[in-house]
Tab-separated table of all heavy atoms in Angstrom:
chain	number	residue	atom	x	y	z
A	85	ASN	N	9.328	26.451	14.457
A	85	ASN	CA	9.981	27.765	14.457
A	85	ASN	C	10.739	28.017	13.159
A	85	ASN	O	11.982	28.066	13.134
A	85	ASN	CB	10.942	27.897	15.645
A	85	ASN	CG	10.231	27.778	16.979
A	85	ASN	OD1	9.095	28.205	17.137
A	85	ASN	ND2	10.892	27.164	17.944
A	86	LEU	N	10.000	28.185	12.095
A	86	LEU	CA	10.601	28.431	10.788
A	86	LEU	C	10.881	29.924	10.656
A	86	LEU	O	9.981	30.756	10.817
A	86	LEU	CB	9.635	27.969	9.696
A	86	LEU	CG	10.245	27.524	8.376
A	86	LEU	CD1	11.177	26.341	8.589
A	86	LEU	CD2	9.142	27.164	7.399
A	87	VAL	N	12.125	30.283	10.383
A	87	VAL	CA	12.560	31.677	10.364
A	87	VAL	C	12.986	32.074	8.959
A	87	VAL	O	13.927	31.496	8.395
A	87	VAL	CB	13.731	31.902	11.343
A	87	VAL	CG1	14.185	33.355	11.305
A	87	VAL	CG2	13.331	31.494	12.750
A	88	LEU	N	12.290	33.062	8.391
A	88	LEU	CA	12.727	33.676	7.140
A	88	LEU	C	13.776	34.719	7.516
A	88	LEU	O	13.464	35.734	8.149
A	88	LEU	CB	11.543	34.327	6.423
A	88	LEU	CG	11.845	35.080	5.130
A	88	LEU	CD1	12.441	34.156	4.069
A	88	LEU	CD2	10.588	35.769	4.603
A	89	VAL	N	15.013	34.460	7.158
A	89	VAL	CA	16.121	35.325	7.586
A	89	VAL	C	15.900	36.733	7.038
A	89	VAL	O	15.718	36.931	5.833
A	89	VAL	CB	17.472	34.762	7.105
A	89	VAL	CG1	18.611	35.695	7.503
A	89	VAL	CG2	17.688	33.363	7.681
A	90	PRO	N	15.884	37.746	7.937
A	90	PRO	CA	15.534	39.104	7.501
A	90	PRO	C	16.643	39.799	6.748
A	90	PRO	O	17.827	39.462	6.871
A	90	PRO	CB	15.242	39.824	8.831
A	90	PRO	CG	16.077	39.098	9.835
A	90	PRO	CD	16.079	37.654	9.391
A	91	GLY	N	16.230	40.804	5.985
A	91	GLY	CA	17.182	41.691	5.347
A	91	GLY	C	17.525	42.839	6.276
A	91	GLY	O	17.375	42.746	7.495
A	92	GLU	N	17.944	43.966	5.704
A	92	GLU	CA	18.443	45.078	6.510
A	92	GLU	C	17.444	46.208	6.664
A	92	GLU	O	17.659	47.123	7.464
A	92	GLU	CB	19.726	45.627	5.883
A	92	GLU	CG	20.867	44.598	5.823
A	92	GLU	CD	22.108	45.166	5.182
A	92	GLU	OE1	22.043	46.307	4.664
A	92	GLU	OE2	23.146	44.482	5.195
A	93	LYS	N	16.308	46.183	5.952
A	93	LYS	CA	15.419	47.350	5.935
A	93	LYS	C	14.156	47.119	6.754
A	93	LYS	O	13.584	46.025	6.745
A	93	LYS	CB	15.044	47.685	4.484
A	93	LYS	CG	16.249	48.085	3.638
A	93	LYS	CD	15.867	48.341	2.196
A	93	LYS	CE	17.109	48.730	1.383
A	93	LYS	NZ	16.802	48.924	-0.042
A	94	ASP	N	13.707	48.188	7.442
A	94	ASP	CA	12.433	48.135	8.135
A	94	ASP	C	11.314	48.395	7.133
A	94	ASP	O	11.560	48.504	5.916
A	94	ASP	CB	12.397	49.139	9.294
A	94	ASP	CG	12.615	50.583	8.842
A	94	ASP	OD1	12.577	50.861	7.627
A	94	ASP	OD2	12.831	51.444	9.723
A	95	LEU	N	10.065	48.491	7.621
A	95	LEU	CA	8.944	48.646	6.687
A	95	LEU	C	9.062	49.929	5.878
A	95	LEU	O	8.768	49.941	4.668
A	95	LEU	CB	7.621	48.612	7.451
A	95	LEU	CG	6.363	48.690	6.585
A	95	LEU	CD1	6.315	47.542	5.581
A	95	LEU	CD2	5.110	48.710	7.441
A	96	VAL	N	9.501	51.018	6.512
A	96	VAL	CA	9.679	52.274	5.773
A	96	VAL	C	10.710	52.094	4.665
A	96	VAL	O	10.521	52.541	3.525
A	96	VAL	CB	10.088	53.410	6.737
A	96	VAL	CG1	10.459	54.668	5.950
A	96	VAL	CG2	8.963	53.713	7.717
A	97	GLY	N	11.805	51.413	4.995
A	97	GLY	CA	12.825	51.143	3.992
A	97	GLY	C	12.319	50.247	2.882
A	97	GLY	O	12.696	50.416	1.709
A	98	MET	N	11.461	49.284	3.225
A	98	MET	CA	10.887	48.399	2.203
A	98	MET	C	9.966	49.168	1.260
A	98	MET	O	9.928	48.903	0.053
A	98	MET	CB	10.140	47.260	2.880
A	98	MET	CG	11.032	46.284	3.632
A	98	MET	SD	12.038	45.245	2.555
A	98	MET	CE	10.802	44.074	1.978
A	99	LEU	N	9.214	50.130	1.798
A	99	LEU	CA	8.352	50.960	0.945
A	99	LEU	C	9.205	51.767	-0.030
A	99	LEU	O	8.865	51.897	-1.217
A	99	LEU	CB	7.506	51.887	1.803
A	99	LEU	CG	6.399	51.224	2.638
A	99	LEU	CD1	5.776	52.227	3.596
A	99	LEU	CD2	5.325	50.618	1.734
A	100	ARG	N	10.317	52.279	0.455
A	100	ARG	CA	11.209	53.038	-0.432
A	100	ARG	C	11.833	52.127	-1.473
A	100	ARG	O	12.009	52.525	-2.635
A	100	ARG	CB	12.288	53.727	0.398
A	100	ARG	CG	11.747	54.860	1.260
A	100	ARG	CD	12.801	55.399	2.199
A	100	ARG	NE	12.274	56.491	3.021
A	100	ARG	CZ	12.788	56.892	4.163
A	100	ARG	NH1	13.893	56.283	4.632
A	100	ARG	NH2	12.250	57.882	4.845
A	101	GLU	N	12.163	50.905	-1.066
A	101	GLU	CA	12.710	49.937	-2.020
A	101	GLU	C	11.688	49.627	-3.113
A	101	GLU	O	12.039	49.486	-4.290
A	101	GLU	CB	13.082	48.652	-1.275
A	101	GLU	CG	13.495	47.493	-2.160
A	101	GLU	CD	14.931	47.604	-2.647
A	101	GLU	OE1	15.681	48.451	-2.124
A	101	GLU	OE2	15.292	46.830	-3.554
A	102	MET	N	10.415	49.523	-2.723
A	102	MET	CA	9.362	49.222	-3.699
A	102	MET	C	9.175	50.382	-4.661
A	102	MET	O	8.954	50.183	-5.860
A	102	MET	CB	8.048	48.906	-2.985
A	102	MET	CG	6.896	48.628	-3.945
A	102	MET	SD	5.439	47.898	-3.140
A	102	MET	CE	4.931	49.218	-2.061
A	103	GLY	N	9.232	51.607	-4.156
A	103	GLY	CA	9.013	52.766	-5.020
A	103	GLY	C	7.542	52.958	-5.288
A	103	GLY	O	6.844	53.651	-4.563
A	104	THR	N	7.052	52.316	-6.334
A	104	THR	CA	5.633	52.369	-6.686
A	104	THR	C	5.074	50.954	-6.701
A	104	THR	O	5.675	50.053	-7.287
A	104	THR	CB	5.429	53.021	-8.061
A	104	THR	OG1	5.884	54.382	-8.007
A	104	THR	CG2	3.960	53.001	-8.472
A	105	GLY	N	3.944	50.775	-6.042
A	105	GLY	CA	3.346	49.449	-5.992
A	105	GLY	C	2.279	49.358	-4.921
A	105	GLY	O	1.754	50.375	-4.443
A	106	LEU	N	1.981	48.149	-4.513
A	106	LEU	CA	0.880	47.891	-3.592
A	106	LEU	C	1.399	47.282	-2.300
A	106	LEU	O	2.051	46.229	-2.320
A	106	LEU	CB	-0.133	46.939	-4.244
A	106	LEU	CG	-1.345	46.547	-3.406
A	106	LEU	CD1	-2.270	47.744	-3.201
A	106	LEU	CD2	-2.106	45.395	-4.063
A	107	LEU	N	1.117	47.923	-1.171
A	107	LEU	CA	1.355	47.345	0.149
A	107	LEU	C	0.080	46.605	0.542
A	107	LEU	O	-0.974	47.218	0.679
A	107	LEU	CB	1.685	48.437	1.171
A	107	LEU	CG	1.649	48.015	2.648
A	107	LEU	CD1	2.690	46.947	2.944
A	107	LEU	CD2	1.833	49.232	3.556
A	108	VAL	N	0.175	45.294	0.726
A	108	VAL	CA	-0.997	44.477	1.055
A	108	VAL	C	-1.021	44.206	2.554
A	108	VAL	O	-0.045	43.690	3.114
A	108	VAL	CB	-0.997	43.141	0.272
A	108	VAL	CG1	-2.204	42.293	0.651
A	108	VAL	CG2	-0.984	43.418	-1.223
A	109	THR	N	-2.139	44.552	3.193
A	109	THR	CA	-2.290	44.339	4.638
A	109	THR	C	-3.412	43.378	4.974
A	109	THR	O	-3.570	43.013	6.142
A	109	THR	CB	-2.550	45.680	5.353
A	109	THR	OG1	-3.738	46.280	4.810
A	109	THR	CG2	-1.363	46.629	5.165
A	110	GLU	N	-4.189	42.961	3.977
A	110	GLU	CA	-5.238	41.973	4.232
A	110	GLU	C	-5.442	41.124	2.984
A	110	GLU	O	-5.447	41.644	1.865
A	110	GLU	CB	-6.560	42.645	4.617
A	110	GLU	CG	-7.649	41.638	4.961
A	110	GLU	CD	-8.961	42.277	5.385
A	110	GLU	OE1	-9.152	43.488	5.142
A	110	GLU	OE2	-9.806	41.558	5.954
A	111	LEU	N	-5.595	39.821	3.198
A	111	LEU	CA	-5.908	38.900	2.117
A	111	LEU	C	-7.201	38.161	2.445
A	111	LEU	O	-7.462	37.839	3.609
A	111	LEU	CB	-4.774	37.891	1.911
A	111	LEU	CG	-3.487	38.438	1.321
A	111	LEU	CD1	-2.370	37.406	1.407
A	111	LEU	CD2	-3.689	38.883	-0.128
A	112	MET	N	-7.980	37.873	1.416
A	112	MET	CA	-9.263	37.200	1.596
A	112	MET	C	-9.394	36.068	0.593
A	112	MET	O	-8.821	36.110	-0.492
A	112	MET	CB	-10.411	38.191	1.409
A	112	MET	CG	-10.443	39.307	2.461
A	112	MET	SD	-11.203	40.833	1.858
A	112	MET	CE	-9.826	41.596	0.989
A	113	GLY	N	-10.177	35.061	0.946
A	113	GLY	CA	-10.412	33.957	0.037
A	113	GLY	C	-9.297	32.930	0.069
A	113	GLY	O	-8.258	33.122	0.701
A	114	GLN	N	-9.526	31.828	-0.621
A	114	GLN	CA	-8.585	30.699	-0.612
A	114	GLN	C	-8.210	30.291	-2.032
A	114	GLN	O	-8.180	29.117	-2.361
A	114	GLN	CB	-9.209	29.511	0.129
A	114	GLN	CG	-9.594	29.797	1.562
A	114	GLN	CD	-8.402	30.128	2.429
A	114	GLN	OE1	-7.338	29.563	2.271
A	114	GLN	NE2	-8.577	31.046	3.360
A	115	GLY	N	-7.944	31.264	-2.885
A	115	GLY	CA	-7.708	30.977	-4.295
A	115	GLY	C	-6.309	30.494	-4.601
A	115	GLY	O	-5.554	31.163	-5.320
A	116	ILE	N	-5.955	29.329	-4.064
A	116	ILE	CA	-4.621	28.767	-4.291
A	116	ILE	C	-4.764	27.335	-4.766
A	116	ILE	O	-5.463	26.535	-4.142
A	116	ILE	CB	-3.785	28.810	-2.996
A	116	ILE	CG1	-3.610	30.256	-2.539
A	116	ILE	CG2	-2.426	28.158	-3.211
A	116	ILE	CD1	-3.429	30.403	-1.086
A	117	ASN	N	-4.113	27.008	-5.880
A	117	ASN	CA	-4.106	25.641	-6.390
A	117	ASN	C	-2.784	25.001	-5.983
A	117	ASN	O	-1.730	25.356	-6.516
A	117	ASN	CB	-4.249	25.641	-7.910
A	117	ASN	CG	-4.399	24.242	-8.483
A	117	ASN	OD1	-3.774	23.300	-8.011
A	117	ASN	ND2	-5.228	24.122	-9.497
A	118	PRO	N	-2.788	24.052	-5.029
A	118	PRO	CA	-1.530	23.484	-4.544
A	118	PRO	C	-0.798	22.644	-5.582
A	118	PRO	O	0.407	22.417	-5.454
A	118	PRO	CB	-1.970	22.632	-3.349
A	118	PRO	CG	-3.399	22.283	-3.632
A	118	PRO	CD	-3.964	23.466	-4.347
A	119	VAL	N	-1.507	22.190	-6.607
A	119	VAL	CA	-0.885	21.344	-7.623
A	119	VAL	C	-0.137	22.179	-8.650
A	119	VAL	O	0.980	21.847	-9.047
A	119	VAL	CB	-1.944	20.460	-8.314
A	119	VAL	CG1	-1.301	19.608	-9.407
A	119	VAL	CG2	-2.649	19.573	-7.295
A	120	THR	N	-0.738	23.283	-9.082
A	120	THR	CA	-0.116	24.127	-10.107
A	120	THR	C	0.617	25.326	-9.528
A	120	THR	O	1.479	25.917	-10.195
A	120	THR	CB	-1.186	24.638	-11.084
A	120	THR	OG1	-2.098	25.496	-10.369
A	120	THR	CG2	-1.955	23.478	-11.704
A	121	GLY	N	0.249	25.720	-8.298
A	121	GLY	CA	0.826	26.919	-7.710
A	121	GLY	C	0.108	28.193	-8.088
A	121	GLY	O	0.499	29.282	-7.656
A	122	ASP	N	-0.959	28.098	-8.878
A	122	ASP	CA	-1.704	29.300	-9.256
A	122	ASP	C	-2.275	29.968	-8.004
A	122	ASP	O	-2.810	29.306	-7.112
A	122	ASP	CB	-2.838	28.956	-10.222
A	122	ASP	CG	-2.314	28.570	-11.594
A	122	ASP	OD1	-1.180	28.949	-11.925
A	122	ASP	OD2	-3.043	27.881	-12.341
A	123	TYR	N	-2.166	31.297	-7.973
A	123	TYR	CA	-2.464	32.071	-6.766
A	123	TYR	C	-3.341	33.254	-7.142
A	123	TYR	O	-2.995	34.041	-8.032
A	123	TYR	CB	-1.149	32.549	-6.155
A	123	TYR	CG	-1.245	33.353	-4.888
A	123	TYR	CD1	-1.043	32.765	-3.650
A	123	TYR	CD2	-1.498	34.728	-4.922
A	123	TYR	CE1	-1.092	33.510	-2.467
A	123	TYR	CE2	-1.552	35.483	-3.748
A	123	TYR	CZ	-1.343	34.859	-2.530
A	123	TYR	OH	-1.398	35.599	-1.378
A	124	SER	N	-4.487	33.400	-6.459
A	124	SER	CA	-5.371	34.539	-6.686
A	124	SER	C	-6.146	34.796	-5.404
A	124	SER	O	-6.935	33.953	-4.978
A	124	SER	CB	-6.326	34.269	-7.856
A	124	SER	OG	-7.187	35.374	-8.064
A	125	ARG	N	-5.923	35.959	-4.786
A	125	ARG	CA	-6.553	36.274	-3.509
A	125	ARG	C	-7.146	37.674	-3.530
A	125	ARG	O	-6.540	38.610	-4.081
A	125	ARG	CB	-5.516	36.221	-2.365
A	125	ARG	CG	-4.750	34.928	-2.221
A	125	ARG	CD	-5.512	33.854	-1.515
A	125	ARG	NE	-5.995	34.219	-0.191
A	125	ARG	CZ	-5.283	34.125	0.936
A	125	ARG	NH1	-4.025	33.714	0.882
A	125	ARG	NH2	-5.821	34.442	2.094
A	126	GLY	N	-8.307	37.836	-2.912
A	126	GLY	CA	-8.827	39.168	-2.670
A	126	GLY	C	-7.909	39.891	-1.709
A	126	GLY	O	-7.306	39.278	-0.817
A	127	ALA	N	-7.778	41.211	-1.874
A	127	ALA	CA	-6.795	41.938	-1.078
A	127	ALA	C	-7.260	43.356	-0.763
A	127	ALA	O	-8.160	43.910	-1.411
A	127	ALA	CB	-5.452	42.002	-1.818
A	128	ALA	N	-6.640	43.927	0.251
A	128	ALA	CA	-6.798	45.340	0.599
A	128	ALA	C	-5.456	45.825	1.117
A	128	ALA	O	-4.628	45.039	1.591
A	128	ALA	CB	-7.885	45.525	1.649
């Protein structure tokens, strides 16, 4: 039961906090190097 302690904003508030950017709702592929931390995933 690992809990990431939440902030104060709901998803609508988070979108406003972001302003301009990408909301990611799906990730594909396994492009993660556990040794270096390099991260690359297909997304939508």
